[in-house]
Amino acid sequence: MQDIYTYARRIALAAFIFFLVAAAFYLFIQLTHFLLLVFAGILLAVLFTSLSEWVSAKTGFGRGLSLTIVTILLFGMLVGLGFIVAPTVGEQVNEMGDSIPQAWEDLKDKLRETTWGEQVLHEVENGTGKMIPESKAIFSRVTNMFTSTLSIFTDLLIVLITGLFLAANPLLYTKGFVKLFPVMRRNRVYEVLSLCYDTLRQWLWGMFLAMCLIGVTVWLGFTIIGLELALLMALLAFFFAFIPNIGPIIAGVPPILLGLLDSPQMALQVLLVYSIIQGIEGYVLTPLIFQKTVALPPALLLFFQVLLGIVQGGLGLFLAAPLLAVVMVIVQEVYIKDVLERPDSTKAAGAGGSTGTASP
């Protein structure tokens, strides 16, 4: 009778643990967007903190004054760059809007010259008419677009405020987090957090350098071959370079299509120039820039990007690389070094091995 009671108790405990883990996993999935926003705020705080430390070391100013200077300079640079680049980019966007309809008309004229082209054009035009939504559907899409835009701006505001608060007094939040661990482990937690900070700082600076090199070289290359809207395409390459593996592919589609609107030869030149630049960046620049920071295995990074992209869309894809860098540091320090390679476990394994060898 006692055995049956003990067995039923173990089954109930196992079921409780299973449902507790399932509830925690479900809660994590539901809060993934919030957690990614928090991590984005931490990433921004790392940027502000590293810049503030550099200014403080060079000038001798305090943390608060250095952070204020960095914040004003960063936003001033963004606003100034917007005033300088926005007119050219706006002009090129207008040119794209004018050139695409004319290119479409030219393509239809070429399709009408062949029988199969005429059939394809007929199917496309009939399908286009079916794709035009009704007025209610148009209103619904406009409303959804407005809601999505408002949500994006809200998320950006949350990330910005979080980053500034964390950068203003990082020690306060670090101490509060470390206090959640036992006293004997707090120094080790400080060490791991410091390694995570160094990894993110080096990753951010390396990525920014790679983005600048990609943007400048793409602009020069497209300008040399005479591609229209070269500056706009270079800006796309610059921003999408923040997303390894997938970002360069996404940024490469618009210039190739734009070159195809000009001529097949231009599209081939664009593809060749862009492939050479991305090849040099992937096989030469990236290993040199990131040789001192954590190396992200390409296959693992791609899997992580796809996973977060499926779960959280663009936000997950955008933060996959730095988040994976932090995860790899934590796994290396906490699990591999502190668990698998712990001295007492190594001695125990050695003792077991020697005992087994001595046995007849």
Side-chain angles (χ1 to χ4, degrees):
M1 184 67 181
Q2 183 69 23
D3 292 339
I4 296 177
Y5 175 76
T6 303
Y7 178 76
R9 185 178 179 181
R10 290 178 178 177
I11 292 295
L13 181 61
F16 175 75
I17 293 175
F18 172 79
F19 285 113
L20 187 64
V21 172
F25 182 76
Y26 175 78
L27 185 63
F28 175 78
I29 294 297
Q30 295 298 318
L31 295 178
T32 303
H33 184 77
F34 168 75
L35 296 176
L36 286 178
L37 288 180
V38 172
F39 179 75
I42 294 174
L43 194 64
L44 187 62
V46 170
L47 175 63
F48 282 127
T49 302
S50 60
L51 290 174
S52 301
E53 290 175 350
W54 183 82
V55 172
S56 179
K58 295 297 182 181
T59 61
F61 295 153
R63 172 180 292 275
L65 182 57
S66 299
L67 179 61
T68 303
I69 294 174
V70 167
T71 304
I72 294 174
L73 288 177
L74 282 179
F75 283 101
M77 289 174 58
L78 290 175
V79 173
L81 184 63
F83 277 111
I84 295 173
V85 178
T88 304
V89 173
E91 181 181 348
Q92 292 189 357
V93 170
N94 292 331
E95 290 179 5
M96 180 183 291
D98 295 335
S99 61
I100 288 178
Q102 182 61 41
W104 172 242
E105 294 298 328
D106 296 340
L107 180 60
K108 288 197 295 184
D109 293 337
K110 292 180 180 179
L111 288 176
R112 291 192 181 97
E113 295 176 358
T114 59
T115 304
W116 65 268
E118 185 70 28
Q119 294 177 354
V120 170
L121 183 60
H122 179 72
E123 293 294 332
V124 170
E125 290 179 345
N126 289 340
T128 304
K130 296 178 181 179
M131 291 169 56
I132 298 176
E134 297 179 356
S135 57
K136 293 183 179 180
I138 293 175
F139 178 77
S140 177
R141 292 183 182 181
V142 171
T143 304
N144 292 334
M145 184 181 301
F146 175 78
T147 304
S148 301
T149 304
L150 184 62
S151 176
I152 291 174
F153 278 109
T154 304
D155 290 346
L156 289 175
L157 184 62
I158 292 174
V159 170
L160 178 61
I161 295 176
T162 303
L164 288 175
F165 274 118
L166 291 176
N169 193 359
L171 193 60
L172 172 66
Y173 303 98
T174 303
K175 286 183 177 180
F177 178 76
V178 171
K179 286 181 179 179
L180 298 175
F181 296 87
V183 177
M184 64 178 61
R185 302 297 298 171
R186 288 178 182 177
N187 289 333
R188 180 56 178 160
V189 174
Y190 272 119
E191 293 178 3
V192 175
L193 290 178
S194 179
L195 288 173
C196 291
Y197 169 76
D198 291 337
T199 299
L200 286 178
R201 177 175 55 83
Q202 294 172 3
W203 187 88
L204 278 173
W205 285 111
M207 183 55 65
F208 179 73
L209 179 59
M211 291 168 63
C212 290
L213 292 174
I214 287 294
V216 172
T217 52
V218 166
W219 175 66
L220 291 175
F222 288 170
T223 302
I224 291 173
I225 64 176
L227 179 68
E228 296 182 358
L229 316 181
L231 180 59
L232 180 60
M233 298 300 104
L235 286 176
L236 287 177
F238 170 81
F239 286 112
F240 278 102
F242 190 84
I243 308 174
N245 296 333
I246 300 176
I249 298 176
I250 299 175
V253 173
I256 294 175
L257 293 178
L258 191 63
L260 190 60
L261 293 177
D262 188 316
S263 66
Q265 292 78 11
M266 177 58 72
L268 184 60
Q269 292 179 13
V270 170
L271 178 61
L272 182 62
V273 169
Y274 191 77
S275 300
I276 291 175
I277 293 174
Q278 291 296 337
I280 295 175
E281 186 271 338
Y283 292 100
V284 179
L285 295 180
T286 298
L288 290 176
I289 293 173
F290 294 102
Q291 61 182 351
K292 293 185 178 181
T293 185
V294 60
L296 301 179
L300 181 61
L301 175 59
L302 182 61
F303 170 78
F304 202 65
Q305 286 176 321
V306 172
L307 177 62
L308 287 185
I310 293 175
V311 175
Q312 279 299 319
L315 180 62
L317 190 63
F318 187 75
L319 297 175
L323 183 58
L324 179 61
V326 172
V327 170
M328 290 187 63
V329 170
I330 295 175
V331 171
Q332 175 68 27
E333 297 296 324
V334 176
Y335 179 66
I336 296 179
K337 289 185 178 181
D338 293 352
V339 177
L340 299 182
E341 298 178 355
R342 193 173 53 186
D344 54 352
S345 62
T346 305
K347 291 180 180 179
S354 60
T355 303
T357 304
S359 300

